[in-house]
Amino acid sequence: MPEPLRQQIDALAGRGTELFRQLVESVRDYGIFALTPEGTIATWNSGAERIKGYTADEAIGRHFSMFYPAGAVARGWPAEELRRATLDGRFEDEGFRVRKDGSTFWANVVISPILDDHGELIGFSKVTRDLTERRESERLLEESERNQRLLVESVRDHAMFLLDAGGLVRTWNAGCDRVFELSANDVVGKHVGNLYTDSDVARGVPRNELASAAAARVHHADGQRRKGASGAFPAEVTTASLTNREGALTGFVLVVRDLTHHDRVVSLEAESKRVHEFIAMLSHELRNPLAPIRNAVTLLQRVSSEPTLKRSTDIIDRQLTNLTRIVDDLLDVSRITGGSIHIARQQVNIVEVVNASISSTRQLAQSRHHRVSASFTDEPLIVLGDGARLTQVFVSLLTNASKYTLDGGEVVVSARDGDGLATVKVTDNGIGMGDELLRRAFDPLVQGERALARTDGGLGIGLTLVKSIVELHGGTVAAASAGTGHGTTVTVTLPIVQSNGENVSTTGAPGSASVRVLVVDDNVDAAQVVANILELDGHEVSIAHDGPAALEKVRGGFPDLVILDIGLPMMTGHDVARQMRQMPGGADVRIVALSGYGQESDLQQSATAGIDNHFVKPVDAEVLSLYVASIAHQRNAGQT
């Protein structure tokens, strides 16, 4: 050892006692002080002053029990610490201690006996460390771990569990029990491969998925997993690797979701879409033959007065109306389930709508010898809504009332204003409804027992449509009955709006003016019957059976009106309309679609193609006649 260094060490050794005192005094992170054999404080360092709040003058000479809570002092714990330190040569403890200001802190305490050269006890050294922050951190960590554990245990829709680095299952939550239908006793301590199908185990899938998770940190997979003793289920599995600070693999966490319900929902959605598409196509295919039949019946009714023929055509007309309604109901089922029913809002007098509905169902009521009475307020009940859809509501209610009322029964309709609401009631003295049927009356495909044979058709969605349409108008609908055999009352309420002073519900008589019409339809019969009806009304009509032929006809001069089928050969009605609009004079012609396609998307496509109106087959001949007459009236008046 170099001489200068030896001299420095000897000098320090000579000052050892003083140097040690200064060293202890400079420590601020620990309270270090000496006690007499009885526990009286003999020394005090700066760390003790910082931690406990007492100065040396305040602490020296007092018993160290002043740092202990009252309960610990009462049970003699300070003296017990000194006793154990004397017996064992050292005593360490953790617990609450008291500061000068009365606050407590969590302390780690080490007490060691001090012996003289003869081994006699001359006092104790006491080292105190404030662990409050560490204990709070540990408490928060424990609480977080407990909360996470409780969270994982409470999850029931997903299986969440841990594996060790070798793939053995270490934890199992309640979701695991439900998803796998296996208990912790069946799985914990066993390899995760036990949760795979035999074929996947044979192909090494468990090993490969864990290896992928270890390499990429997270691995996603879909596949079959074991369920119960011998079953399996489609699963979505996320496997994440766990590592320590050094990056070494310590295990895996797995989250497993049972896709059985999800796959079923996807399958049902796909099936529902196919059903909707089928219904739309079926409705179109049914409407095409219904249109010429309807118009042919209208022609027969106009030109023949022979009693037997008239009775026959009336029968055909009634049954055709029923068949048309069934086709409309088919399409409305699709619209309801697809949420695609829309309304065109304008001011409508609900009294006139109800009156029109009574007129529309009068023939059915007369065939059953029903007495139909109406009681309306004298003032108009103006609502903001779609007149056609609201008419559909009350026609459906009146039709239902007739269907479920015996011959000679009574139907009463009333419309009143109350608290800003138009309240319409349709009451019959028919077969009524039991409690169970009342609860389900507005559900799709629900029907009561008929009082008569099922001769009217219908799909059991009338009240469902009523509810949907009324709610779209911001209204309510409710059914009430005193029970089977006591009749039924259906109440519709709709919010009333103030009239803007315009005539909102009348249709002026179009007069007897005539127009030139081009009918375009590949169905020869349908085109001919429409032409015949319009010719009887005095209009000049020509016919084309495909798009090119229609375009060729208008090149020689546009007619006033084009009635256009959409499903044409060679080019669609939409294409025909677009090309007509681009031709000289094409911007002024009125183009009307007459098609079996009647969904909202079909109407939107027609509007986009430049078509002014879209009628759905079979259109009522009277409606078509009035529409064409109104165009003629406007043309002659110079309004278009």
Side-chain angles (χ1 to χ4, degrees), residues 266-598:
V266 171
S267 176
L268 288 174
E269 288 176 347
E271 183 64 24
S272 176
K273 182 180 179 181
R274 287 193 294 271
V275 169
H276 292 165
E277 292 172 348
F278 170 76
I279 289 175
M281 182 58 67
L282 178 63
S283 299
H284 171 261
E285 293 301 322
L286 288 173
R287 279 180 172 135
N288 273 332
L290 287 175
I293 295 173
R294 163 68 70 189
N295 293 329
V297 169
T298 301
L299 277 175
L300 288 172
Q301 289 173 327
R302 287 189 180 188
V303 301
S304 176
S305 59
E306 199 278 322
T308 302
L309 182 59
K310 187 178 187 304
R311 285 195 300 271
S312 298
T313 54
D314 287 345
I315 291 171
I316 295 172
D317 185 57
R318 286 195 299 273
Q319 297 307 317
L320 186 60
T321 298
N322 290 332
L323 184 57
T324 301
R325 182 167 49 80
I326 291 173
V327 173
D328 289 338
D329 283 354
L330 276 172
L331 188 57
D332 279 332
V333 167
S334 178
R335 286 173 176 165
I336 286 176
T337 55
S340 61
I341 285 187
H342 300 291
I343 57 174
R345 296 182 184 275
Q346 61 181 11
Q347 289 188 2
V348 178
N349 185 350
I350 204 67
V351 172
E352 295 185 5
V353 169
V354 175
N355 256 327
S357 302
I358 293 174
S359 297
S360 296
T361 56
R362 181 171 289 117
Q363 189 175 29
L364 175 61
Q366 290 174 346
S367 70
R368 300 252 173 108
H369 308 101
H370 291 160
R371 297 181 303 279
V372 179
S373 59
S375 173
F376 299 140
T377 179
D378 294 333
E379 298 298 323
L381 299 178
I382 306 300
V383 304
L384 192 62
D386 188 319
R389 284 296 186 182
L390 289 173
T391 300
Q392 184 180 3
V393 165
F394 296 109
V395 166
S396 180
L397 294 180
L398 289 164
T399 301
N400 260 15
S402 287
K403 285 180 183 177
Y404 295 101
T405 300
L406 296 173
D407 276 3
E410 185 176 9
V411 177
V412 178
V413 185
S414 66
R416 293 287 183 269
D417 176 3
D419 297 326
L421 294 175
T423 301
V424 181
K425 293 185 177 183
V426 178
T427 302
D428 63 66
N429 61 351
I431 64 175
M433 296 187 189
D435 291 341
E436 176 63 23
L437 184 56
L438 276 174
R439 283 193 294 269
R440 301 175 55 234
F442 297 98
D443 294 344
L445 308 179
V446 172
Q447 292 179 298
E449 292 297 326
R450 293 279 176 84
L452 303 173
R454 292 179 55 114
T455 57
D456 304 303
L459 300 175
I461 66 165
L463 288 181
T464 304
L465 278 170
V466 166
K467 182 175 185 291
S468 298
I469 295 171
V470 169
E471 289 179 349
L472 282 173
H473 285 80
T476 64
V477 59
S481 176
T484 304
H486 296 283
T488 301
T489 296
V490 179
T491 303
V492 174
T493 63
L494 296 164
I496 294 176
V497 297
Q498 295 297 321
S499 174
N500 59 12
E502 297 177 355
N503 189 350
V504 296
S505 59
T506 61
T507 302
S512 58
S514 64
V515 291
R516 292 175 295 116
V517 182
L518 171 62
V519 177
V520 186
D521 198 324
D522 61 321
N523 187 316
V524 176
D525 292 339
Q528 189 60 58
V529 171
V530 169
N532 290 344
I533 290 173
L534 296 181
E535 286 171 343
L536 283 175
D537 291 336
H539 304 294
E540 181 185 337
V541 185
S542 59
I543 297 175
H545 296 302
D546 57 53
L551 293 173
E552 185 62 31
K553 282 184 176 293
V554 300
R555 285 191 180 96
F558 266 98
D560 301 304
L561 172 66
V562 177
I563 298 178
L564 181 63
D565 186 24
I566 299 301
L568 295 171
M570 296 193 285
M571 57 190 305
T572 68
H574 296 144
D575 294 333
V576 173
R578 291 189 187 96
Q579 292 196 29
M580 283 186 178
R581 290 301 188 200
Q582 295 171 0
M583 297 168 65
D588 297 329
V589 68
R590 184 69 63 91
I591 302 178
V592 176
L594 184 57
S595 172
Y597 293 107

